[in-house]
PDB file of all heavy atoms in Angstrom:
ATOM      1  N   ARG A1093       3.630  29.956 -12.480  1.00 97.00           N
ATOM      2  CA  ARG A1093       2.271  29.500 -12.758  1.00 97.00           C
ATOM      3  C   ARG A1093       1.862  28.296 -11.902  1.00 97.00           C
ATOM      4  O   ARG A1093       0.768  27.767 -12.060  1.00 97.00           O
ATOM      5  CB  ARG A1093       2.166  29.140 -14.241  1.00 97.00           C
ATOM      6  CG  ARG A1093       2.301  30.343 -15.180  1.00 97.00           C
ATOM      7  CD  ARG A1093       2.304  29.908 -16.657  1.00 97.00           C
ATOM      8  NE  ARG A1093       3.477  29.114 -16.965  1.00 97.00           N
ATOM      9  CZ  ARG A1093       3.471  27.810 -17.049  1.00 97.00           C
ATOM     10  NH1 ARG A1093       2.363  27.119 -16.858  1.00 97.00           N
ATOM     11  NH2 ARG A1093       4.590  27.164 -17.354  1.00 97.00           N
ATOM     12  N   LEU A1094       2.741  27.865 -11.006  1.00 97.00           N
ATOM     13  CA  LEU A1094       2.449  26.707 -10.173  1.00 97.00           C
ATOM     14  C   LEU A1094       2.082  27.159  -8.761  1.00 97.00           C
ATOM     15  O   LEU A1094       2.742  28.014  -8.184  1.00 97.00           O
ATOM     16  CB  LEU A1094       3.683  25.797 -10.093  1.00 97.00           C
ATOM     17  CG  LEU A1094       3.937  24.813 -11.228  1.00 97.00           C
ATOM     18  CD1 LEU A1094       4.141  25.532 -12.570  1.00 97.00           C
ATOM     19  CD2 LEU A1094       5.122  23.918 -10.918  1.00 97.00           C
ATOM     20  N   THR A1095       0.987  26.600  -8.231  1.00 97.00           N
ATOM     21  CA  THR A1095       0.553  26.891  -6.868  1.00 97.00           C
ATOM     22  C   THR A1095       0.489  25.588  -6.093  1.00 97.00           C
ATOM     23  O   THR A1095      -0.153  24.633  -6.538  1.00 97.00           O
ATOM     24  CB  THR A1095      -0.822  27.578  -6.854  1.00 97.00           C
ATOM     25  OG1 THR A1095      -0.761  28.787  -7.608  1.00 97.00           O
ATOM     26  CG2 THR A1095      -1.249  27.903  -5.428  1.00 97.00           C
ATOM     27  N   PHE A1096       1.141  25.559  -4.948  1.00 97.00           N
ATOM     28  CA  PHE A1096       1.198  24.370  -4.111  1.00 97.00           C
ATOM     29  C   PHE A1096       0.486  24.663  -2.803  1.00 97.00           C
ATOM     30  O   PHE A1096       0.671  25.721  -2.211  1.00 97.00           O
ATOM     31  CB  PHE A1096       2.655  23.985  -3.808  1.00 97.00           C
ATOM     32  CG  PHE A1096       3.496  23.792  -5.026  1.00 97.00           C
ATOM     33  CD1 PHE A1096       4.138  24.877  -5.609  1.00 97.00           C
ATOM     34  CD2 PHE A1096       3.646  22.541  -5.593  1.00 97.00           C
ATOM     35  CE1 PHE A1096       4.922  24.720  -6.735  1.00 97.00           C
ATOM     36  CE2 PHE A1096       4.441  22.368  -6.719  1.00 97.00           C
ATOM     37  CZ  PHE A1096       5.069  23.466  -7.294  1.00 97.00           C
ATOM     38  N   GLN A1097      -0.310  23.693  -2.356  1.00 97.00           N
ATOM     39  CA  GLN A1097      -1.028  23.880  -1.105  1.00 97.00           C
ATOM     40  C   GLN A1097      -0.814  22.667  -0.215  1.00 97.00           C
ATOM     41  O   GLN A1097      -0.866  21.530  -0.680  1.00 97.00           O
ATOM     42  CB  GLN A1097      -2.518  24.072  -1.374  1.00 97.00           C
ATOM     43  CG  GLN A1097      -3.325  24.458  -0.162  1.00 97.00           C
ATOM     44  CD  GLN A1097      -4.644  25.105  -0.523  1.00 97.00           C
ATOM     45  OE1 GLN A1097      -5.004  25.191  -1.691  1.00 97.00           O
ATOM     46  NE2 GLN A1097      -5.360  25.585   0.468  1.00 97.00           N
ATOM     47  N   PHE A1098      -0.583  22.907   1.064  1.00 97.00           N
ATOM     48  CA  PHE A1098      -0.436  21.849   2.061  1.00 97.00           C
ATOM     49  C   PHE A1098      -1.695  21.875   2.922  1.00 97.00           C
ATOM     50  O   PHE A1098      -2.085  22.929   3.412  1.00 97.00           O
ATOM     51  CB  PHE A1098       0.800  22.120   2.921  1.00 97.00           C
ATOM     52  CG  PHE A1098       1.344  20.953   3.672  1.00 97.00           C
ATOM     53  CD1 PHE A1098       0.968  19.649   3.397  1.00 97.00           C
ATOM     54  CD2 PHE A1098       2.285  21.151   4.662  1.00 97.00           C
ATOM     55  CE1 PHE A1098       1.497  18.577   4.068  1.00 97.00           C
ATOM     56  CE2 PHE A1098       2.843  20.087   5.354  1.00 97.00           C
ATOM     57  CZ  PHE A1098       2.449  18.795   5.067  1.00 97.00           C
ATOM     58  N   GLY A1099      -2.337  20.734   3.089  1.00 96.00           N
ATOM     59  CA  GLY A1099      -3.571  20.694   3.848  1.00 96.00           C
ATOM     60  C   GLY A1099      -3.396  21.118   5.301  1.00 96.00           C
ATOM     61  O   GLY A1099      -2.308  20.991   5.867  1.00 96.00           O
ATOM     62  N   ASP A1100      -4.486  21.602   5.890  1.00 96.00           N
ATOM     63  CA  ASP A1100      -4.428  22.090   7.274  1.00 96.00           C
ATOM     64  C   ASP A1100      -3.929  21.006   8.233  1.00 96.00           C
ATOM     65  O   ASP A1100      -3.208  21.296   9.195  1.00 96.00           O
ATOM     66  CB  ASP A1100      -5.813  22.565   7.727  1.00 96.00           C
ATOM     67  CG  ASP A1100      -6.263  23.835   7.023  1.00 96.00           C
ATOM     68  OD1 ASP A1100      -5.388  24.540   6.483  1.00 96.00           O
ATOM     69  OD2 ASP A1100      -7.479  24.097   6.996  1.00 96.00           O
ATOM     70  N   ALA A1101      -4.332  19.780   7.986  1.00 96.00           N
ATOM     71  CA  ALA A1101      -3.948  18.667   8.862  1.00 96.00           C
ATOM     72  C   ALA A1101      -2.615  18.036   8.460  1.00 96.00           C
ATOM     73  O   ALA A1101      -2.186  17.053   9.078  1.00 96.00           O
ATOM     74  CB  ALA A1101      -5.037  17.595   8.844  1.00 96.00           C
ATOM     75  N   ARG A1102      -1.995  18.576   7.460  1.00 95.00           N
ATOM     76  CA  ARG A1102      -0.693  18.099   6.944  1.00 95.00           C
ATOM     77  C   ARG A1102      -0.759  16.640   6.484  1.00 95.00           C
ATOM     78  O   ARG A1102       0.196  15.869   6.671  1.00 95.00           O
ATOM     79  CB  ARG A1102       0.418  18.297   7.989  1.00 95.00           C
ATOM     80  CG  ARG A1102       0.729  19.768   8.247  1.00 95.00           C
ATOM     81  CD  ARG A1102       1.898  19.935   9.172  1.00 95.00           C
ATOM     82  NE  ARG A1102       1.579  19.515  10.526  1.00 95.00           N
ATOM     83  CZ  ARG A1102       2.408  18.872  11.331  1.00 95.00           C
ATOM     84  NH1 ARG A1102       3.622  18.544  10.940  1.00 95.00           N
ATOM     85  NH2 ARG A1102       2.027  18.536  12.552  1.00 95.00           N
ATOM     86  N   LYS A1103      -1.904  16.271   5.890  1.00 96.00           N
ATOM     87  CA  LYS A1103      -2.040  14.916   5.350  1.00 96.00           C
ATOM     88  C   LYS A1103      -2.184  14.914   3.838  1.00 96.00           C
ATOM     89  O   LYS A1103      -2.184  13.845   3.231  1.00 96.00           O
ATOM     90  CB  LYS A1103      -3.292  14.252   5.950  1.00 96.00           C
ATOM     91  CG  LYS A1103      -3.215  13.975   7.439  1.00 96.00           C
ATOM     92  CD  LYS A1103      -4.474  13.258   7.888  1.00 96.00           C
ATOM     93  CE  LYS A1103      -4.411  12.912   9.371  1.00 96.00           C
ATOM     94  NZ  LYS A1103      -5.617  12.161   9.800  1.00 96.00           N
ATOM     95  N   ASP A1104      -2.361  16.074   3.235  1.00 96.00           N
ATOM     96  CA  ASP A1104      -2.612  16.099   1.812  1.00 96.00           C
ATOM     97  C   ASP A1104      -2.046  17.377   1.206  1.00 96.00           C
ATOM     98  O   ASP A1104      -1.747  18.350   1.912  1.00 96.00           O
ATOM     99  CB  ASP A1104      -4.111  16.008   1.521  1.00 96.00           C
ATOM    100  CG  ASP A1104      -4.899  17.090   2.230  1.00 96.00           C
ATOM    101  OD1 ASP A1104      -5.017  18.196   1.671  1.00 96.00           O
ATOM    102  OD2 ASP A1104      -5.362  16.820   3.351  1.00 96.00           O
ATOM    103  N   SER A1105      -1.939  17.355  -0.112  1.00 97.00           N
ATOM    104  CA  SER A1105      -1.383  18.507  -0.814  1.00 97.00           C
ATOM    105  C   SER A1105      -1.934  18.529  -2.233  1.00 97.00           C
ATOM    106  O   SER A1105      -2.425  17.515  -2.740  1.00 97.00           O
ATOM    107  CB  SER A1105       0.148  18.423  -0.839  1.00 97.00           C
ATOM    108  OG  SER A1105       0.706  19.548  -1.496  1.00 97.00           O
ATOM    109  N   SER A1106      -1.851  19.677  -2.855  1.00 97.00           N
ATOM    110  CA  SER A1106      -2.258  19.785  -4.253  1.00 97.00           C
ATOM    111  C   SER A1106      -1.287  20.681  -4.994  1.00 97.00           C
ATOM    112  O   SER A1106      -0.630  21.549  -4.412  1.00 97.00           O
ATOM    113  CB  SER A1106      -3.676  20.338  -4.370  1.00 97.00           C
ATOM    114  OG  SER A1106      -3.740  21.656  -3.866  1.00 97.00           O
ATOM    115  N   LEU A1107      -1.214  20.414  -6.294  1.00 98.00           N
ATOM    116  CA  LEU A1107      -0.398  21.210  -7.215  1.00 98.00           C
ATOM    117  C   LEU A1107      -1.324  21.697  -8.316  1.00 98.00           C
ATOM    118  O   LEU A1107      -1.971  20.886  -8.973  1.00 98.00           O
ATOM    119  CB  LEU A1107       0.727  20.350  -7.797  1.00 98.00           C
ATOM    120  CG  LEU A1107       1.344  20.773  -9.125  1.00 98.00           C
ATOM    121  CD1 LEU A1107       2.005  22.128  -9.010  1.00 98.00           C
ATOM    122  CD2 LEU A1107       2.338  19.727  -9.604  1.00 98.00           C
ATOM    123  N   HIS A1108      -1.395  23.002  -8.484  1.00 98.00           N
ATOM    124  CA  HIS A1108      -2.247  23.585  -9.520  1.00 98.00           C
ATOM    125  C   HIS A1108      -1.369  24.334 -10.511  1.00 98.00           C
ATOM    126  O   HIS A1108      -0.517  25.125 -10.104  1.00 98.00           O
ATOM    127  CB  HIS A1108      -3.263  24.540  -8.883  1.00 98.00           C
ATOM    128  CG  HIS A1108      -4.211  25.149  -9.862  1.00 98.00           C
ATOM    129  ND1 HIS A1108      -5.295  24.470 -10.354  1.00 98.00           N
ATOM    130  CD2 HIS A1108      -4.215  26.368 -10.443  1.00 98.00           C
ATOM    131  CE1 HIS A1108      -5.946  25.252 -11.204  1.00 98.00           C
ATOM    132  NE2 HIS A1108      -5.315  26.414 -11.276  1.00 98.00           N
ATOM    133  N   ILE A1109      -1.567  24.044 -11.784  1.00 97.00           N
ATOM    134  CA  ILE A1109      -0.830  24.758 -12.834  1.00 97.00           C
ATOM    135  C   ILE A1109      -1.821  25.590 -13.637  1.00 97.00           C
ATOM    136  O   ILE A1109      -2.825  25.057 -14.145  1.00 97.00           O
ATOM    137  CB  ILE A1109      -0.071  23.792 -13.758  1.00 97.00           C
ATOM    138  CG1 ILE A1109       0.910  22.948 -12.943  1.00 97.00           C
ATOM    139  CG2 ILE A1109       0.676  24.574 -14.842  1.00 97.00           C
ATOM    140  CD1 ILE A1109       1.693  21.931 -13.773  1.00 97.00           C
ATOM    141  N   THR A1110      -1.537  26.850 -13.747  1.00 97.00           N
ATOM    142  CA  THR A1110      -2.377  27.779 -14.517  1.00 97.00           C
ATOM    143  C   THR A1110      -1.802  27.956 -15.908  1.00 97.00           C
ATOM    144  O   THR A1110      -0.584  28.098 -16.070  1.00 97.00           O
ATOM    145  CB  THR A1110      -2.433  29.140 -13.803  1.00 97.00           C
ATOM    146  OG1 THR A1110      -2.901  28.954 -12.471  1.00 97.00           O
ATOM    147  CG2 THR A1110      -3.352  30.103 -14.528  1.00 97.00           C
ATOM    148  N   ALA A1111      -2.683  27.949 -16.893  1.00 97.00           N
ATOM    149  CA  ALA A1111      -2.262  28.193 -18.288  1.00 97.00           C
ATOM    150  C   ALA A1111      -1.071  27.306 -18.659  1.00 97.00           C
ATOM    151  O   ALA A1111       0.014  27.797 -18.980  1.00 97.00           O
ATOM    152  CB  ALA A1111      -1.944  29.669 -18.502  1.00 97.00           C
TER     153      ALA A1111
END
Side-chain angles (χ1 to χ4, degrees):
Chain A
R1093 293 175 295 101
L1094 278 61
T1095 302
F1096 305 87
Q1097 188 160 5
F1098 199 14
D1100 291 340
R1102 292 185 291 142
K1103 293 183 178 182
D1104 55 86
S1105 181
S1106 64
L1107 157 62
H1108 182 79
I1109 301 179
T1110 304

